[in-house]
Every structure is written in C-alpha cells, then in structure tokens.
Amino acid sequence: PEAMQAGFPALGGVGSARALAKFYSLFATVSDAIPNRIHGAASNALVNGEDAVLLLPTSFAAGFMMDPVNLETEEKRRAIFGSSKKAFGHPGAGGSLGFADPENGIAFAYVMNHLSYGVLPNVKAREMVDAIYT
C-alpha cells in the first residue's frame, strides 16, 4: 500500500481497467473536461524515431506514447494503439495497455494479474485491439 501511494514520476500508476478506460475516455470523446490545448499536446507527436533505450522505433506526444510512423511513407510502423495516427496512450508493466483514439471515439484499457515479459503490450492486449478495429 505505501508503494501504491507514492508519487513516482513516469511510473507507478495503479488502477483498474475500468478506471483507466474512464481516464482515456476523457480524451477519446469531445469533452469540456480536457482543454483543446491539452488534447492537442497529447495527440500530436513531438518525437518519432529509433529509441536509444528501448532499441525500437517509438513516438511520443506530451506525456503519452503513439505508434511510430515511417516519415517517408507516413504509414504506421506498428499498430499498438489501433489504426488511427492520432491514437495515444501507453503500455504498462507486464503487457497491459491503455489508450484513447479520438478519431474513432475509442477508449481502451487492459490490465491483468499475471505479468508477461517485455515493454510492449502482450499478445492478448494486441489481439483485443485488433478485434476492435476489424
């Protein structure tokens, strides 16, 4: 309980899938709850390219991850956050995932009680996202 109450910048978010989806739903729909400038900062990439730490292509907006885009073709290099280029969110520990897709009005959250290895969402999370967009 003490660790869950500590304020660790950039890590340590603890919550249910319902709470995480509710958070992202504020960004997925037009709402007065999120000012336009904040919404714009969250859904527009600030950096896009090879990540020297993760050793894979990444893209980040202000506070959120986005799917990286090939700058020559403008196509997504990975589709963790669905098909929209404006979708943003973040994978979490062990394979979890939460994101908002304002273009399609989708908020998504997946958490689990059994952690898998890796820094990106696990197979279950990716298959659920694929099912939503099929």
Side-chain angles (χ1 to χ4, degrees), residues 35-118:
N36 286 340
R37 66 183 180 78
I38 302 297
H39 199 282
S43 61
N44 289 296
L46 298 171
V47 295
N48 182 67
E50 293 299 315
D51 190 303
V53 174
L54 299 176
L55 303 176
L56 51 90
T58 60
S59 184
F60 285 91
F64 298 97
M65 190 178 230
M66 301 179 81
D67 286 322
V69 174
N70 180 320
L71 297 177
E72 292 177 14
T73 64
E74 295 187 17
E75 292 181 9
K76 282 186 154 193
R77 295 177 72 181
R78 187 173 44 251
I80 293 171
F81 306 114
S83 59
S84 172
K85 290 182 188 171
K86 289 290 185 182
F88 59 92
H90 218 288
S96 59
L97 176 66
F99 72 89
D101 176 354
E103 187 175 17
N104 294 295
I106 294 171
F108 176 88
Y110 170 71
V111 301
M112 64 284 162
N113 59 7
H114 183 288
L115 301 180
S116 57
Y117 296 106

